[in-house]
Structure formats: C-alpha cells, structure tokens
Amino acid sequence: QVQLVESGGGLVQAGGSLRLSCAASGRTFRNYAMGWFRQAPGKERKFVATISSSGGYAFYADSVKGRFTISRDNAKNTVYLQMNSLKPEDTAVYSCAARSGSYSLSVYDYDYWGQGTQVTVSS
C-alpha cells in the first residue's frame, strides 16, 4: 500500500512558476514509477508527466514539454513537478500517482493516487 500526499499548489500569475511535491509513504517508493496528471473543471483527467522508478527516464505531454520538469528523490520518498512559464490553460487539480513496473502515460495503469492540489494560473 502506498499513500500519496501532494502539496505546493496555489494561485500564480501567467508566466510564473510553482513546484509541486508528492510525498509517499512506505519503504518501497523506489520500486514505483510515478506520474502527474491534471483535471480541469468539467474535463477528464489528463496525463502531464511520468518518471521511471530510478528517475532515469521521464516523459511529458506535448502541452507541457519544455516548461515542466518531473524529478524524484528516492531517499526522501518524494516526486516533484517543477512548472515554469505557467499559462491560464494549466489551471487544474494536479494529482500524483504510483504504479509498480515501468512508467506509463495512461491514467488506467496507476494503482495509487493522491488527493490532488489545486493550481490556478491567472491571466
């Protein structure tokens, strides 16, 4: 069992930056690939970024590539999402997720989810 708790969301102006954190419980965090997803009001949850269990591989949605960076610190059981050059269309609830095995872009492949953190980007 893995419990995930996100933090770092908030209100920021367009062009600004935020760093989201996702703290995981359990001693096997290093065995899980991690992902970030987001859900805007009235829309389905969408993939943002994923990172392998070792941190050696990462993959991004086209909409955030070059602006967002996913990273992890296995010693701290934490995964991060650094978000730069934020746009109003980035406004959403951001959730982290964990899955055993390789990283994945699909929301259906993840076994554990955090409660989410709100990110609001004003124009």
Side-chain angles (χ1 to χ4, degrees):
Q1 190 80 3
V2 177
Q3 292 184 325
L4 305 171
V5 179
E6 302 95 336
S7 61
L11 173 64
V12 64
Q13 289 187 333
S17 298
L18 282 174
R19 188 175 82 153
L20 306 183
S21 299
C22 172
S25 65
R27 294 175 290 179
T28 59
F29 174 75
R30 62 182 179 276
N31 295 336
Y32 289 87
M34 300 296 295
W36 284 98
F37 294 81
R38 65 186 182 186
Q39 187 169 22
K43 296 188 177 181
E44 63 182 13
R45 184 177 283 172
K46 291 187 176 180
F47 167 76
V48 175
T50 183
I51 190 167
S52 63
S53 57
S54 68
Y57 297 93
F59 194 83
Y60 300 90
D62 287 343
S63 58
V64 307
K65 200 173 295 182
R67 299 188 297 123
F68 290 12
T69 302
I70 188 171
S71 62
R72 66 189 295 160
D73 185 338
N74 285 347
K76 295 182 178 180
N77 282 13
T78 302
V79 63
Y80 305 97
L81 185 68
Q82 177 67 44
M83 306 186 295
N84 298 329
S85 302
L86 282 161
K87 305 175 181 180
E89 51 263 44
D90 294 320
T91 296
V93 174
Y94 284 71
S95 299
C96 66
R99 71 182 301 267
S100 56
S102 61
Y103 62 85
S104 173
L105 282 64
S106 173
V107 64
Y108 301 107
D109 287 342
Y110 286 82
D111 304 307
Y112 304 101
W113 291 84
Q115 82 289 350
T117 185
Q118 176 71 45
V119 171
T120 303
V121 184
S122 62
S123 57

